[in-house]
């Protein structure tokens, strides 16, 4: 079970820089204006062989002063409900602010482990300055500089010692796990209830606290799988339903623990930024995908042209990964919900499909010969052999070339499309590697 670490703190203390440092990416847009981080709020960190997910809460602040403080408070509360550990970041150069005290007040009430991290401590003099943060009542401050990386190793050791050890789960291996995800009100619970045929979400078969995923075994009509439902019952009044940060935080665990994600989109609202955020989580985790356009019973005009337009709009937004099933359904009237299960099963099986090496070379090499990779600086790129790698999480193909560094993204996409045209990989992500022959 993956652990989730959230970085909280007021704007401009360096949350994104720390996030980049931990996930070793340069993804988040870092600049000195408050409230610039968007869309790059989730990544994975690997330290001494243990992996955990990191969420940067800075990406969700609505930037205007009157709602600003309210928003950050909401986020801190959501983070305390969903994460396993919080990193509370403060700025060692600016010193303690009322803001920090405000956040600390919320954090002192939570039962979660909280690490107080003083950022921008670049030299020894600054370390003495950090003593004032003791008065936040959150224990000893850990001094780091996210920009230069000093102190981050000690911080990670500390994080590891505080994270709960993963418990073994009581679920059978080899049975697919489907997660139903989507933004609030897209109809996730209705779909789950329609599958299981009763209003549940109160009783669970497998023990686990509210923080864990709950697995419900579904075994009828020739389907056998677990439905992954994250976190049982939550207190409704705590957080307003429409907070997009909330729906992403909720989805992370379900997505990480599943094989196939069933992404629900509300037919009456089309695709919104939030759907894209959840889709990106699914992609980052290499999960198979089935898109369900729910509440189709509420759409007046259902002719083929409308359906086609809707489908194209979805695929366009989610490009370059476009090879996944889209089902127009209604959880309420139960229209086509078994189709959803059929497709989910199909894309799950596609994950495990194997292509024989001879067959792969027979089909792919003539195609590559007809459309070779574009030559760069007068150098011709030759691909002489390809194979599927054994025992990978998703189908992964390796192409051996004389100059692998010159094979660019568009050509890899071409190769991927040709593989998809010849073998059933519908709904399933594929890895393409180009290696030195």
């Amino acid at each position: 079970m993956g652990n989730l670490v959230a970085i909280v703190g007021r704007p401009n203390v360096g949350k994104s820089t720390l996030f980049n440092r931990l996930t070793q990416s340069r993804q988040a847009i870092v600049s000195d204006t408050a409230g610039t981080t968007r869309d790059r709020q989730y990544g994975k960190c690997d330290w001494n062989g243990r992996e955990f997910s990191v969420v940067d809460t800075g990406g969700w602040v609505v930037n205007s002063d009157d709602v600003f403080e309210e928003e950050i408070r909401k986020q801190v509360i959501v983070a305390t409900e969903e994460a396993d550990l919080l990193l509370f970041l403060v700025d060692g150069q600016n010193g303690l602010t009322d803001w920090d005290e405000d956040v600390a007040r919320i954090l002192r009430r939570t039962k979660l482990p909280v690490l107080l991290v003083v950022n921008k401590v670049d030299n020894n003099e600054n370390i003495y300055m950090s003593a004032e943060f003791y008065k936040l009542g959150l224990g000893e401050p850990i001094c780091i500089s996210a920009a230069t990386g000093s102190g981050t190793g000690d911080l990670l050791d500390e994080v590891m010692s505080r994270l709960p050890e993963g418990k073994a789960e009581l679920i059978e291996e080899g049975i697919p796990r489907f997660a139903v995800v989507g933004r609030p009100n897209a109809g996730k619970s209705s779909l789950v209830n329609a599958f299981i045929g009763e209003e549940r979400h109160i009783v669970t078969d497998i023990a686990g606290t509210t923080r864990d995923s709950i697995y419900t075994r579904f075994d009828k009509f020739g389907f056998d799988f677990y439905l992954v439902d994250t976190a049982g019952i939550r207190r409704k009044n705590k957080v307003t339903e429409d907070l997009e940060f909330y729906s992403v935080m909720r989805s992370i665990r379900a997505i990480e623990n599943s094989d196939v994600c069933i992404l629900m989109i509300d037919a009456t609202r089309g695709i919104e930024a939030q759907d894209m955020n959840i889709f990106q989580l699914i992609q980052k985790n290499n999960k198979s995908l089935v898109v369900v356009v729910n509440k189709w019973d509420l759409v007046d005009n259902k002719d083929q042209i409308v359906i086609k337009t809707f489908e194209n709009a979805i695929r366009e937004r989610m490009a370059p990964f476009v090879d996944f099933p889209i089902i127009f359904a209604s959880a309420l009237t139960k229209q086509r919900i078994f189709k959803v299960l059929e497709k989910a099963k199909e894309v799950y099986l596609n994950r495990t499909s194997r292509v024989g090496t001879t067959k792969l070379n027979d089909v792919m090499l003539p195609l590559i010969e007809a459309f070779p990779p574009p030559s760069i600086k007068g150098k011709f790129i030759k691909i002489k052999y390809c194979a599927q790698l054994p025992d990978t999480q998703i189908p992964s193909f390796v192409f051996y070339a004389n100059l692998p560094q010159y094979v660019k993204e568009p050509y890899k996409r071409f190769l991927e499309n040709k593989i998809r045209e010849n073998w059933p990989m519908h709904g399933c992500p594929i890895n393409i590697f180009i290696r030195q022959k």
Side-chain angles (χ1 to χ4, degrees):
M1 176 87 194
N3 285 313
L4 189 54
V5 173
I7 306 173
V8 298
R10 61 188 172 80
N12 258 11
V13 290
K15 293 193 291 294
S16 297
T17 316
L18 178 60
F19 173 80
N20 288 344
R21 175 75 51 193
L22 295 180
T23 55
Q24 281 150 5
S25 64
R26 285 273 156 274
Q27 291 178 315
I29 316 149
V30 181
S31 87
D32 293 341
T33 2
T36 45
T37 320
R38 292 297 293 149
D39 287 351
R40 297 285 187 210
Q41 324 87 332
Y42 163 82
K44 284 193 158 56
C45 172
D46 193 328
W47 184 249
N48 293 343
R50 271 182 73 188
E51 199 185 53
F52 59 90
S53 304
V54 192
V55 177
D56 167 14
T57 61
W60 273 277
V61 176
V62 177
N63 200 358
S64 69
D65 293 335
D66 48 333
V67 287
F68 208 53
E69 306 197 7
E70 192 38 43
E71 282 292 312
I72 291 188
R73 288 207 31 228
K74 264 189 209 164
Q75 268 162 39
V76 170
I77 290 169
V78 170
T80 57
E81 290 189 348
E82 295 294 328
D84 295 303
L85 175 126
L86 295 182
L87 298 179
F88 176 31
L89 205 57
V90 291
D91 181 335
Q93 283 174 8
N94 291 348
L96 192 56
T97 64
D98 302 349
W99 256 111
D100 298 329
E101 295 190 359
D102 200 37
V103 174
R105 219 165 288 133
I106 303 172
L107 297 184
R108 283 197 302 269
R109 282 194 223 114
T110 164
K111 295 185 176 58
L112 279 187
V114 176
L115 293 179
L116 175 60
V117 184
V118 184
N119 190 19
K120 307 186 189 176
V121 180
D122 302 336
N123 54 32
N124 290 345
E125 282 85 82
N126 293 15
I127 291 185
Y128 299 116
M129 308 276 291
S130 70
E132 63 170 327
F133 292 106
Y134 272 105
K135 66 185 257 200
L136 291 175
L138 291 167
E140 184 174 346
I142 301 171
C143 296
I144 66 161
S145 163
T148 64
S150 78
T152 46
D154 298 345
L155 171 64
L156 279 164
D157 287 339
E158 194 54 46
V159 166
M160 283 309 175
S161 70
R162 301 286 189 92
L163 278 178
E165 280 289 333
K167 317 187 291 299
E169 275 160 356
L170 306 162
I171 71 166
E172 279 180 50
E173 282 304 304
I175 292 175
R177 301 188 239 181
F178 299 165
V180 180
V181 293
R183 59 157 186 264
N185 287 339
K188 299 186 291 293
S189 312
S190 323
L191 185 70
V192 172
N193 289 337
F195 286 157
I196 291 167
E198 66 226 57
E199 298 292 322
R200 45 145 223 147
H201 282 14
I202 296 160
V203 187
T204 74
D205 315 331
I206 292 171
T209 62
T210 345
R211 288 202 175 280
D212 301 330
S213 294
I214 292 161
Y215 296 97
T216 310
R217 181 83 172 259
F218 179 100
D219 190 355
K220 39 187 172 204
F221 313 113
F223 296 108
D224 185 8
F225 61 89
Y226 283 108
L227 268 173
V228 184
D229 176 37
T230 326
I233 316 137
R234 56 166 194 273
R235 298 177 293 293
K236 265 281 196 287
N237 53 3
K238 263 296 176 64
V239 179
T240 47
E241 272 295 328
D242 54 9
L243 192 58
E244 77 180 280
F245 173 56
Y246 180 74
S247 64
V248 173
M249 283 289 278
R250 289 222 73 85
S251 313
I252 290 175
R253 276 204 170 77
I255 291 170
E256 288 182 351
N257 290 315
S258 66
D259 300 307
V260 179
C261 295
I262 299 172
L263 173 61
M264 308 273 291
I265 292 177
D266 183 336
T268 59
R269 296 181 55 172
I271 299 188
E272 297 179 347
Q274 232 169 310
D275 299 312
M276 290 309 295
N277 275 334
I278 294 173
F279 172 68
Q280 277 155 4
L281 284 178
I282 296 171
Q283 264 202 310
K284 267 201 184 126
N285 281 292
N286 281 333
K287 302 301 182 188
S288 300
L289 172 68
V290 176
V291 171
V292 177
V293 180
N294 189 27
K295 308 190 184 174
W296 196 236
D297 51 318
L298 302 178
V299 177
D300 303 330
N301 185 356
K302 295 193 182 61
D303 64 19
Q304 283 307 310
I305 301 164
V306 174
I307 291 182
K308 213 63 220 135
T309 324
F310 212 105
E311 273 195 24
N312 292 344
I314 293 174
R315 292 194 204 279
E316 234 160 72
R317 288 291 298 276
M318 298 186 176
F321 178 39
V322 290
D323 184 21
F324 53 81
I326 298 177
I327 297 161
F328 293 86
S330 160
L332 214 73
T333 64
K334 302 198 175 167
Q335 178 191 16
R336 287 198 207 86
I337 63 164
F338 278 113
K339 184 89 182 207
V340 175
L341 292 186
E342 272 163 26
K343 283 295 178 199
K345 188 172 172 181
E346 183 186 314
V347 299
Y348 171 73
L349 292 173
N350 289 350
R351 280 177 90 79
T352 52
S353 55
R354 302 273 319 149
V355 179
T357 310
T358 329
K359 191 99 176 76
L360 188 66
N361 283 282
D362 289 350
V363 173
M364 295 303 288
L365 293 182
L367 284 170
I368 292 169
E369 211 147 287
F371 298 99
S375 58
I376 290 187
K377 301 178 192 152
K379 295 195 167 78
F380 290 101
I381 301 162
K382 296 184 182 61
I383 295 177
K384 287 279 188 245
Y385 176 74
C386 52
Q388 183 177 359
L389 295 171
D391 307 326
T392 47
Q393 223 206 336
I394 58 172
S396 304
F397 297 88
V398 59
F399 290 82
Y400 292 96
N402 55 345
L403 301 162
Q405 66 278 23
Y406 290 143
V407 180
K408 298 284 184 269
E409 243 351 276
Y411 195 75
K412 285 187 183 173
R413 214 164 290 152
F414 162 77
L415 294 175
E416 178 180 329
N417 291 339
K418 291 297 165 208
I419 289 176
R420 288 182 184 284
E421 279 167 29
N422 287 285
W423 291 280
M425 301 278 168
H426 195 45
C428 169
I430 297 181
N431 282 330
I432 302 281
F433 301 108
I434 314 284
R435 301 239 172 98
Q436 188 73 42
K437 71 159 184 268

